[in-house]
Amino acid sequence: MYNQKVLDAFAHPQNVGEIENPDGEGTVGNATCGDIMRITLRIENDVIVDAKFQTFGCAAAIATSSTATQMVIGMTVDEALKLTNARVVEELEGLPPQKIHCSVLAEEAIKKAIEDYRAKQQNIQLDKTKIDYV
Ligand code: FES
């Protein structure tokens, strides 16, 4: 079902965990299956210097989260906002069609974490308990 690159990313995920006192954090749920992902970011001068994820999800969700966090480290927040799930799937050399929806979690969690970062810069507190289903 999965190619070797996806299996490797699932078996050896990078950036698992949580950044303490993150500059941005976002939690999203998958409307299709109910799985949940949380991303925390460390951002310095608008550049993502660290990203970590926690996923209650399937192998595809874990592989895409691992890959997406690796991809955004070193990007500016504007660049990271342009990262699509399709680009992450391409980096993994494909996912089975029925697992494409799993890759949406990482893209949306990163966007939500950046939204939180930008809100914090304006001293706006977002509701951290709210889970957006995407
Ligand atoms: Fe839920 Fe993959 S089945 S994220």
Side-chain angles (χ1 to χ4, degrees), residues 30 33-35 56-61 99 101-102 105:
N30 192 311
C33 62
D35 290 343
F56 296 96
C58 69
K99 302 304 282 182
H101 75 89
C102 310
L105 278 176

Side-chain angles (χ1 to χ4, degrees), residues 40-59:
T40 49
L41 300 175
R42 174 73 59 230
I43 300 170
E44 292 173 5
N45 300 320
D46 269 5
V47 174
I48 297 171
V49 296
D50 199 7
K52 296 213 179 294
F53 78 93
Q54 295 170 303
T55 296
F56 296 96
C58 69

